[in-house]
Every structure is written in C-alpha cells, then in structure tokens.
Amino acid sequence: MALRGKTLYRISAAALSLLCTLLLTGCWNSRDIQNLAYVTAIGIDYKDNHYITYVQVLNFSNIARTETNTIGKPVPIWIGKGEGTTVVDSLDAMMATSQLRMFWGHVKALVFTENLMRKGIVETFNALNRYREIRYRLLVYGTNEKLENVFTKKSLLNLSPLDTIMYTPEQTYSQRSFIQPVYGHQVIARINEPGQPTMLPSLTVTREIWTEDAKGVPLLSISGAYFFNDNVLSGWLSSEDLKGSRWIQKDLKQAIIQVPNKDEIVATLALLKPKYRIRPVVDSGNKVRYDIDVRIQGKLFELIKDMPTRTLEKLTQDAVIREVQETYRKGLAAHCDVFNLEETLYRNHPKVWHNQHRPEPYQLSEDSLRKITVKVSIRNTGKYKGRV
C-alpha cells in the first residue's frame, strides 16, 4: 500500500508540474537581433514647413570584432530619410520602407541643422524624448553641413562611424580639451532653467588634414558652438573665438597654449585642472559687474627660449587673461553668454536677475566684466629640466 501511495504521489506531482508550465509566458513576440535595424544617430532638418529626418543604421560587419575581419576594409553606411509635417510624421515615413523593424534603444547622437535650430529645438526634444526607447544621454550637436555628408563619414582606417568624434568626443577631449561634449539631459535642464544659456557643439567636415596615400579623406571635427538664449538661437562662435572659455571648464583634461613674449613664442604649455570662481558684484544702483578668478596647473611641453619659471608663469597668466577677454568680446558681438555669467547672478541674486531681465533678456555689455585674475603654477617640465 505504501508503494502504491508513493506512485500516485509522483504521478500527481508530475501532472501538477505539467499544468504549471501552461501558465509560463513564452517568447511568441521575440525577434532575432540580426533582423532589427539598429538606429545609432538621428539628424533633423527643417525646410518649407516640413521636417526632414535622417537616421544612420548600424552595420554589424564593421562593428563586430572577429578573427576574419579585415581592419580598414570599406563598409557601406546605411542612411534613411523621411519627410513630414511633424518630427514623428517624418520618422513614420521612413519606417514605411525600412524592411526591418527599427530599434531606437541604441541612438547615441542627435544632430540639428541651422534651419531646425532657428525653428526651435524644444518641440523636437519633446517629440523624441516621449518615445520610451530613446534615452536622455544622447550627444547633441548642431551643424551647417548637409546631414548626408555628416552621416557618411567614417573614422581613421575606415573604422566604424561609432569610432568618429560624433560618437566618442571624450577621446579627443582627453587629449585636446576645447569644447565640452553636451548631452541631451543637459540640454533639457538648460532649456528649462532661467539664466542658463544652452550651448551645442557644431560638427563640420574637414577635408584638408588627413590623406589615405595621396587621396584626401574627409573626417568630422568640432568647429565651434551654437548658443541659445530663451530657447532662441542667438549665434555661433568658432573654436578660435572660444579659446578663452577653455579655462572655465570644470572637466578640463588638457589644453595647449602657446606663450608669447612680445612678438615671439617662447614656450608651449598644457594647462589642466582649473579651479575658478565667478563672482557677481552688485552696486547700490543695481548695476552688475563680474569678477573671474582662475587657478590652474601647467605642464611644460615645449621651451624655445630660456627663462625663469616665475617669468614663464607670468607670461602664461597674461596670455590666459587676453584669451578670456577676447572670447568675452566675441560673445558680446554674437549675444552669447559664453562664461555663464548671468547664471551666477541668478543663483546669488535672483531678485536682481528678475528685475533686470524683465525689459531685456540679454544684459551683458563691454564693462560687465570687471576683473580677471589668473594664477598659473607650472608643476612639471617633462623629461628635461626647465631650460632649453
């Protein structure tokens, strides 16, 4: 009897297990990953009251690293184009002929044309961020190039587009810190925050610097930055115009500066790890002026003329001050608050800021910058001592 009872128990347990499997979910709507079109970048233009959208689709043949891959082998880039009265309408027009389901979870870069930026970027951000697959941490750029030209550029050695500066600006920024990368969540925060201008790096195509054998190779580069005030495009400044803004960047990795003495260059330094403070000074008549104080370390990269370290530090300090002054003047001409001066006023004296910005949103003038103080400390002279 005991044996018979055990047998019945086992049969009942097996039947119960089979019934439980009916409650398990299956993979009926799963898709093979090789049958998806992975969008990695989105570009948006605006023309004749229509949005024109471009997407770059990842090609696995130049992404995956296998033993049979040949580095440098040209691989075509797939680009889709759609047009519509809204952003979503233009994307929908593209999906009608995509053949594969488009997956948006790997979008890494967003590029706006000047036409779109003049139209306004808020509506575009609202449309894209509403979709759950698109993430907030996208690299955001502006450009005056044709989007087809931007999206068809590869990296050195014909590597994947994912190895270009559009996707990995941090690699270049770690060697040559100039214009900081800007991410989507930062743009959203700045758009919605009073007193804080929005800045987008500008992408361009350079054709004269690199060659493959004797053939010129066009590559992407950061040529400057676009600035917005109150969600309106206020102007564009080139990289040369923005030289002075390097020293007011918390995440500055390394920036090269040539040190002049009168009319000749005497040294080249790399400056890094800046500590700075911007202080708004409000007088009795509510006139606002600003003081900038910078403390920064230096490494000697090139010494052309022998001179004491203290003299070299003083010449470098003077050069940094001139760059800051020049960048400030360039920003004024384009109505751009390059150094975020008015944000410090908004943080420290919000009532003054609101009173000033009711009649006129842009308050900076030639004499708004009162004093610039720079202290450079040379900590390293390289493998040689501090002499030629």
Side-chain angles (χ1 to χ4, degrees), residues 105-286:
H106 287 297
V107 176
K108 299 178 182 296
L110 185 59
V111 185
F112 298 135
T113 65
E114 288 187 359
N115 289 336
L116 190 279
M117 288 185 286
R118 292 190 189 98
K119 168 70 170 57
I121 62 175
V122 176
E123 292 180 7
T124 303
F125 262 106
N126 289 340
L128 294 176
N129 288 323
R130 189 177 292 274
Y131 190 57
R132 61 182 178 81
E133 286 185 2
I134 296 179
R135 307 183 183 188
Y136 287 106
R137 192 173 170 80
L138 307 176
L139 287 158
V140 187
Y141 301 95
T143 187
N144 64 351
E145 299 272 357
K146 292 183 178 180
L147 289 173
E148 302 101 313
N149 293 341
V150 173
F151 281 3
T152 54
K153 297 300 171 283
K154 301 183 180 71
S155 185
L156 288 178
L157 309 178
N158 282 318
L159 294 177
S160 159
L162 294 183
D163 295 310
T164 63
I165 199 171
M166 182 171 71
Y167 291 103
T168 56
E170 297 87 356
Q171 294 191 42
T172 302
Y173 189 79
S174 64
Q175 284 188 315
R176 185 180 183 267
S177 302
F178 220 101
I179 297 175
Q180 282 185 292
V182 174
Y183 293 90
H185 65 278
Q186 295 172 326
V187 175
I188 295 170
R190 292 168 184 171
I191 285 175
N192 295 315
E193 186 69 16
Q196 189 163 355
T198 306
M199 183 272 286
L200 297 183
S202 63
L203 277 176
T204 191
V205 179
T206 59
R207 299 172 173 84
E208 300 83 14
I209 297 177
W210 289 89
T211 61
E212 182 181 1
D213 295 329
K215 179 183 177 183
V217 178
L219 295 172
L220 293 176
S221 67
I222 305 295
S223 60
Y226 294 95
F227 289 84
F228 294 78
N229 284 318
D230 292 332
N231 303 332
V232 177
L233 180 64
S234 58
W236 175 83
L237 294 176
S238 68
S239 297
E240 184 68 20
D241 296 336
L242 293 170
K243 285 196 301 184
S245 66
R246 298 177 290 176
W247 321 122
I248 316 294
Q249 294 180 11
K250 292 180 180 178
D251 298 325
L252 183 76
K253 307 297 183 185
Q254 176 176 283
I256 305 300
I257 183 171
Q258 289 186 320
V259 182
N261 184 14
K262 297 180 180 178
D263 295 329
E264 59 180 351
I265 302 298
V266 297
T268 302
L269 270 71
L271 301 184
L272 63 159
K273 297 181 180 179
K275 295 180 180 179
Y276 67 91
R277 181 188 178 192
I278 299 173
R279 187 169 65 94
V281 180
V282 184
D283 63 17
S284 57
N286 276 347

Side-chain angles (χ1 to χ4, degrees), residues 247 257-260 269 271 294-296 309-325 372-378:
W247 321 122
I257 183 171
Q258 289 186 320
V259 182
L269 270 71
L271 301 184
V294 180
R295 300 287 184 269
I296 193 165
T309 301
R310 297 297 181 192
T311 304
L312 189 56
E313 289 175 340
K314 176 64 170 60
L315 291 173
T316 307
Q317 290 163 189
D318 294 340
V320 171
I321 290 173
R322 286 193 297 270
E323 286 191 0
V324 171
Q325 291 172 335
I372 305 170
T373 306
V374 177
K375 174 64 176 176
V376 176
S377 301
I378 297 178

Side-chain angles (χ1 to χ4, degrees), residues 6-19:
K6 290 181 179 180
T7 303
L8 290 173
Y9 174 77
R10 290 173 181 170
I11 293 173
S12 299
L16 182 61
S17 299
L18 290 173
L19 288 173

